[in-house]
Amino acid sequence: MFCMSIIFLFQLILFEEFKHSFAEDFNLFGEAGQAYSIEISIGRPGQKLNVIVDTGSATLAIASYLRPDSDKYFHLKNSTSIYDSGQEIQAQYSQGTWVGKLVSDYVHFPSMLNVPEVRCDIALITKSHKFFMNGSGWQGLLGLAYLPVGAWGDNVIVGSWLDSMDHMLNKPMSFELKLCSVQGVTNATHYGNLKILDDQMVDKQSFMFRTPVLRKRWFVVGVLSVQVMSDTVSSEAHKLNIKNNATYNVTQSQSIYEINDEICQRLNEQKSIVDSGTTNIRLPDEMFRQVVNDLRNAAQTSNVLILDEFWYHGEAACWPEPQRWSLPRLAIHLLDFDAENQYFTLELPPQNYMRVVSARNNSGSGGSVSEFCYKLGLEAGGKETVLGYTAMEGLQVVFNRSAGWIGWKTSNCGPNATISGPYNTSSSLLVRCKLIEPLSDASISIKAAQWTLFVISMVALGVLVYLLTPCIKMLIMKPLPRSQQISLSQAALVEQEGT
């Protein structure tokens, strides 16, 4: 009995040390199949909730009603500092919708002591449909993208938390995601870290691989190709890999991959975004089938028997013991920030795309069978390309919103993902892949001024034509044919509905 007590006490000490180390190193957590979430405190007195870190939207949205599967939500009446605008807002995502109302309150993050408390806009969700997952450990999401990607309403502009932070500090801020996936093959909980960084303090040299943000709305990037790596290509690429704590002396190299113009145009036909709120790597239908066919053939060559329901229909595959995959790496080629004829490659091992969704180890527990289940981290997405958090695990990713780039480097945690390049091509990838060329803030200001001047000129011309109409009628013998026009407001509305 005494020995059992000593063993229990030792286990308790180890567990407390385990929790303490995680509290220091990680502030992002998530269960299998769910995105990474962080603890947030809202209002005065503070109410602590968990929100998904989402680079695919810009709104801080919080549940404010009791759900059948969760009794944890924000109580509006319990905050003495809340301001209720009375305005109704809504949002629609690739999966799920919600409606709510716009309020503002104080927000801070207990795990980020260097980030000050700030008052910002909050969307209080009052009703939702297929937005919250059953049994999810989160009550909302923290949008980190550019405005206006987020909630909307009649004559309502919903500000973002990051923009409020920039305004309060009077300087732009970047953020870094370090996503570490699961800790061991018998654990289905994933961990990570979110840091808020001063743009001026971000070391560009430490993030040698940067891809431009082609459109400051979502984090739109240029995905040039997604393919299964062969052994020959993999060995050549690894000669240029960036290793942890290594000296950065990578030289430019001629491409060892062949960038197909038609494929890269198809990948970016609608848009390609980096979205931490999405789990899988989402590819256009035809590209998805090609990549999955290659992975399936590689599995068959390695004598790994997996049914087609796993590969093509999102079903889980389970084994009585954890799997150590010998499948090929997945290569994702991204446009390089420094030159439009250069790109670099994210090389993801099978631990990235063979996702652990449950891990139940029952060895030694009365004969119960252990079960370890996996799902494919790829899915078909119509015409859209989305690099979900599956593509970021094992890497450190910095989002520099003001400078318009995303930096990538290898991490000391998670899958052994690597980066190779940069590679040169003979011509502009912006032109070949029909990508949107990134615009600087100065260019955007110039274009805005040009549009303003154009509108003023058109108004002046309209007034002049109105004044000269009687004279024109006297000179013209027959009426001129009318030309068809489209208003700028209609064009903007069509664009909004199509995005």
Side-chain angles (χ1 to χ4, degrees):
M1 183 70 179
F2 176 75
C3 293
M4 291 296 293
S5 300
I6 293 295
I7 293 173
F8 175 77
L9 180 61
F10 179 70
Q11 289 176 335
L12 183 63
I13 292 173
L14 284 179
F15 178 70
E16 290 300 324
E17 289 295 325
F18 181 78
K19 287 201 305 181
H20 180 68
S21 64
F22 272 174
E24 287 183 346
D25 297 336
F26 300 113
N27 60 10
L28 299 178
F29 303 90
E31 296 303 319
Q34 300 180 19
Y36 290 79
S37 63
I38 187 170
E39 185 181 64
I40 189 173
S41 179
I42 303 176
R44 293 180 179 174
Q47 300 180 43
K48 292 184 178 180
L49 302 163
N50 296 316
V51 291
I52 285 176
V53 175
D54 181 26
T55 62
S57 68
T59 304
L60 173 56
I62 302 292
S64 64
Y65 68 100
L66 180 66
R67 309 196 318 270
D69 63 318
S70 176
D71 59 355
K72 191 173 183 180
Y73 61 96
F74 181 78
H75 296 262
L76 182 147
K77 294 181 179 180
N78 291 350
S79 177
T80 61
S81 54
I82 198 164
Y83 170 75
D84 187 351
S85 72
Q87 295 174 303
E88 184 174 294
I89 52 178
Q90 60 182 304
Q92 182 174 358
Y93 301 83
S94 57
Q95 179 178 338
T97 60
W98 57 255
V99 295
K101 57 182 178 179
L102 175 62
V103 304
S104 72
D105 211 335
Y106 291 100
V107 171
H108 81 276
F109 296 87
S111 62
M112 295 191 290
L113 300 179
N114 65 320
V115 179
E117 183 181 57
V118 63
R119 177 180 280 276
C120 68
D121 287 350
I122 303 172
L124 290 188
I125 302 173
T126 56
K127 185 179 180 181
S128 65
H129 177 67
K130 294 184 178 180
F131 178 71
F132 295 102
M133 297 175 59
N134 289 333
S136 62
W138 50 272
Q139 295 79 44
L141 55 83
L142 173 66
L144 298 172
Y146 300 94
L147 291 174
V149 178
W152 70 87
D154 293 336
N155 300 318
V156 178
I157 298 177
V158 183
S160 74
W161 171 76
L162 261 183
D163 285 344
S164 298
M165 180 68 62
D166 290 353
H167 180 72
M168 188 185 75
L169 298 176
N170 197 28
K171 58 182 177 181
M173 303 297 287
S174 300
F175 62 93
E176 177 188 270
L177 289 177
K178 180 181 179 181
L179 307 183
C180 301
S181 187
V182 298
Q183 302 295 297
V185 294
T186 60
N187 184 8
T189 303
H190 45 249
Y191 307 91
N193 204 357
L194 168 67
K195 291 182 180 179
I196 305 300
L197 309 170
D198 185 339
D199 276 9
Q200 297 178 351
M201 301 298 291
V202 176
D203 183 7
K204 296 180 182 179
Q205 297 302 318
S206 66
F207 285 88
M208 186 167 184
F209 295 106
R210 295 180 294 157
T211 190
V213 177
L214 299 175
R215 188 180 181 190
K216 288 186 176 181
R217 191 168 182 178
W218 295 273
F219 286 101
V220 178
V221 298
V223 178
L224 310 179
S225 180
V226 179
Q227 62 189 101
V228 177
M229 297 178 66
S230 66
D231 292 337
T232 303
V233 170
S234 180
S235 62
E236 289 296 321
H238 277 276
K239 295 177 183 178
L240 295 172
N241 279 345
I242 296 297
K243 300 297 184 182
N244 293 326
N245 302 319
T247 303
Y248 295 118
N249 58 357
V250 176
T251 58
Q252 296 174 3
S253 170
Q254 289 299 317
S255 173
I256 59 176
Y257 303 97
E258 184 176 344
I259 301 299
N260 182 287
D261 295 1
E262 183 181 352
I263 289 176
C264 69
Q265 289 173 19
R266 194 173 301 137
L267 283 168
N268 301 279
E269 182 177 350
Q270 190 173 86
K271 62 179 180 292
S272 297
I273 65 173
V274 180
D275 180 11
S276 62
T278 295
T279 300
N280 293 333
I281 299 170
R282 188 179 300 158
L283 300 174
D285 296 345
E286 187 176 343
M287 286 296 304
F288 167 78
R289 287 192 295 271
Q290 179 61 55
V291 171
V292 172
N293 286 344
D294 292 344
L295 288 175
R296 178 176 173 272
N297 292 338
Q300 290 178 339
T301 303
S302 302
N303 295 321
V304 179
L305 178 60
I306 305 177
L307 298 178
D308 285 351
E309 284 74 13
F310 171 87
W311 294 114
Y312 300 103
H313 302 293
E315 298 293 330
C318 301
W319 288 265
E321 65 280 327
Q323 298 297 296
R324 301 186 183 276
W325 304 105
S326 58
L327 298 172
R329 288 175 171 255
L330 192 67
I332 301 176
H333 310 306
L334 296 176
L335 179 69
D336 192 79
F337 180 81
D338 294 320
E340 62 184 53
N341 68 324
Q342 286 183 188
Y343 70 92
F344 60 91
T345 303
L346 308 179
E347 300 176 8
L348 308 181
Q351 288 73 22
N352 280 74
Y353 60 82
M354 303 294 278
R355 297 191 301 103
V356 180
V357 293
S358 67
R360 188 170 68 247
N361 189 355
N362 294 324
S363 58
S365 59
S368 299
V369 178
S370 299
E371 186 178 62
F372 300 87
C373 298
Y374 303 81
K375 280 189 176 183
L376 183 64
L378 300 168
E379 64 182 56
K383 295 183 178 180
E384 190 176 48
T385 301
V386 179
L387 301 183
Y389 69 72
T390 293
M392 292 182 265
E393 291 180 327
L395 299 166
Q396 289 178 241
V397 189
V398 160
F399 295 77
N400 191 315
R401 301 197 315 153
S402 61
W405 55 261
I406 302 174
W408 308 74
K409 70 177 181 180
T410 53
S411 174
N412 60 359
C413 70
N416 185 28
T418 53
I419 312 173
S420 65
Y423 302 115
N424 284 331
T425 60
S426 58
S427 57
S428 169
L429 292 166
L430 284 173
V431 175
R432 290 173 53 187
C433 298
K434 297 183 179 179
L435 300 173
I436 304 170
E437 188 168 0
L439 292 174
S440 64
D441 292 338
S443 298
I444 294 172
S445 300
I446 291 171
K447 286 200 173 287
Q450 289 173 339
W451 273 105
T452 302
L453 182 60
F454 171 76
V455 171
I456 293 173
S457 301
M458 292 302 293
V459 171
L461 179 61
V463 173
L464 181 61
V465 170
Y466 176 77
L467 295 175
L468 294 177
T469 297
C471 301
I472 295 173
K473 285 183 177 180
M474 294 175 61
L475 296 175
I476 298 177
M477 300 301 298
K478 58 180 180 179
L480 293 173
R482 296 179 60 187
S483 61
Q484 294 183 348
Q485 298 180 0
I486 180 169
S487 71
L488 293 178
S489 61
Q490 287 176 336
L493 180 62
V494 171
E495 182 185 7
Q496 181 180 352
E497 290 179 348
T499 56

